[in-house]
Amino acid sequence: MTSKFDFQPKLLTALKNYSKEKFMSDFMAGIIVGIVALPLAIAFGIASGVSPEKGIITAILGGFIVSFLGGSNIQIGGPTGAFIIIVYGIIQNFGIEGLAIATVIAGILLILMGIFKLGTVIKFIPYPIVVGFTSGIALTIFTTQMKDLFGLTMDKVPADFISKWIAYFEVIHTINLWPLLIGVASIIIIVLTPKISKKVPGSLVAIITMTIVVYILRSHFGITSIETIGDRFTIQAQLPQPETIRFNMETINLLLPSAFTIALLGAIESLLSATVADGVTGDKHNSNTELIAQGAANVIVPIFGGIPVTGAIARTMTNINNGGKTPIAGIIHAIVLLLILLFLGPLTKHIPMACLAGVLIIVSYNMSEWRTFRSLMKNPKSDVSVLLVTFLLTVIFDLTIAIEIGLLIAMLLFMRRVAETTRVSVATDSIDLSDEGEIHHDEEVLILPKGVEAYEIDGPFFFGVANKFDDVMQIIGDKPKVRIIRMRKVPFMDSTGLHNLESLVRLSQAEHIHIILSGVNEQVHRILIKSGFEARIGAENICSNIDEAIRRAEDFIKK
């Protein structure tokens, strides 16, 4: 039985028939996913503008909560590349406390989405928007890694895309070959590792190998120009104490757009990851429960200094490929990361920044979806415009603006398409009955009585098409005695459509023209009754079919 809020964690179902065999599969998958998640959590944390252990803490707490409360058996939660740009921008403008406030608000929004069962609605966000901002984020992440990859000497990297590249070219003469060699070697290792073993993550191999190489170069050969995590950050190998987050209306108002972006992006990525996982496993996730779990994670994690949490496709697929069966695997992955942080955390200070740059460049390449981007460029111009606008706004301005304007353009284009499918036609002498659906007719043409016009609205009668009726009305020459408005093909009508219909009746009555409606469906009829329109026009003038409407028109003319 479905609960009122549709909150049904998969963990409860999984534990009912849990066995030793399932536990061993989950145990092994959880260990591997935890190891895979480590370098990504560190890289995402640093790229987002926080210390590396904050990325690990996000993976620990976020991964645990998403698995404990979530609506997917195999979803792995944690920090992802999609949030890097928005998180970095919030920290630049509002600081760490601003990020915490925005993330908590985003978490509350996600919980509300789940409570109000909006899980399925999120899936209807146009695909060009998703690809546009994902590709834009990928290019932006790639851009942020140029300083560390080339070992450039810069006091501060500008925040926006164009200024970054201008600043890079201004200091191009400071390129350091050692970090460049380490970064390129890391990329090569990550690319080649899957060809040797698909179970060992290339990013982990690259980090271990390059950390050892750099340690030897620094310790025994005196090459100190290769910057490591320890040169830039102090690693705290412990779980932080919870901190109070101070809210005020001024800050909330400033951060609400960013919080909305985090919530929307988190919902899209989480549900996309869960849907992809369902396609591989044949399972079915509960989207509303998943949103509530993601929301809970984003409310709790910032209290401990973490960054936004979402479902991670790469780690979820790693979980599936290594035998993960239930949310227990995700919980074990969080425990593995906790143990690594507590006992091996200090070792992370030796990881070279150029190696992490290589890891993030591969992440950005995988995120770019350039093949999909290229194929979408062959789609209709409206889809291409949404794709390019979202992409360019993400790259040149920021993700919040990109998502808001991308959604606005997509909605306007959708309304235009719907408006184009709605047709308004007029008949003054006869009606073609060859495609009738109201009632069976032996004849194919129905002759209209003299002084009767019939208008047909074919499609939704909403604000985007209401003026079409006015345009058709202006074409007509002689005024009839009766106007029959055929609405058999009107699935719904909004307040603007109703307003136009009321205006038509008022103007027609002023010209002593009688209005009759024909073929009104039950939903539209309820709107007419509730608005008082039926009372104004008279219930006898709302007919079930065209034959009845014509008989009513004939009776009126005879009066």
Side-chain angles (χ1 to χ4, degrees), residues 226-266:
I226 306 173
E227 190 178 23
T228 65
I229 287 178
D231 295 328
R232 197 178 295 180
F233 302 99
T234 301
I235 309 298
Q236 302 293 330
Q238 61 184 25
L239 278 176
Q241 294 297 314
E243 296 182 4
T244 303
I245 300 174
R246 291 181 293 274
F247 290 88
N248 61 71
M249 283 308 301
E250 183 182 356
T251 310
I252 290 172
N253 289 334
L254 285 172
L255 289 167
L256 196 57
S258 298
F260 174 77
T261 302
I262 292 173
L264 187 61
L265 193 60

Side-chain angles (χ1 to χ4, degrees), residues 511-526:
E511 295 178 329
H512 305 290
I513 300 171
H514 192 67
I515 297 292
I516 298 172
L517 304 187
S518 168
V520 180
N521 71 28
E522 187 177 341
Q523 181 182 352
V524 175
H525 200 168
R526 281 200 300 269

Side-chain angles (χ1 to χ4, degrees), residues 1 233 325 412 416 516:
M1 183 176 175
F233 302 99
K325 304 293 183 188
L412 290 173
R416 193 186 77 175
I516 298 172

Side-chain angles (χ1 to χ4, degrees), residues 18 60 86 97 144 165 167 177 235 275 319 329 336 359 371 424 455 462 559:
Y18 205 58
I60 293 169
I86 185 70
E97 188 173 11
T144 61
W165 282 106
L177 286 179
I235 309 298
T275 302
N319 187 27
V336 168
V359 170
R371 292 181 182 86
V424 179
Y455 296 83
F462 71 117
K559 289 181 181 179

Side-chain angles (χ1 to χ4, degrees), residues 132 135-137 139-140 143 160-162 390-399 402:
S135 299
I137 291 168
L139 179 57
T140 310
T143 300
D160 64 282
F161 178 82
I162 295 174
T390 309
F391 173 77
L392 291 173
L393 287 175
T394 301
V395 171
I396 298 173
F397 296 99
D398 70 43
L399 195 57

Side-chain angles (χ1 to χ4, degrees), residues 218-232:
R218 286 166 65 105
S219 302
H220 300 285
F221 294 92
I223 299 172
T224 58
S225 60
I226 306 173
E227 190 178 23
T228 65
I229 287 178
D231 295 328
R232 197 178 295 180

Side-chain angles (χ1 to χ4, degrees), residues 264-314:
L264 187 61
L265 193 60
I268 293 170
E269 188 159 7
S270 296
L271 298 182
L272 179 63
S273 173
T275 302
V276 170
D278 287 350
V280 176
T281 62
D283 197 9
K284 186 170 178 61
H285 74 280
N286 183 313
S287 57
N288 297 312
T289 300
E290 189 64 24
L291 288 179
I292 293 173
Q294 299 288 342
N298 281 292
V299 168
I300 294 171
V301 167
I303 296 172
F304 295 88
I307 58 179
V309 178
T310 185
I313 294 178

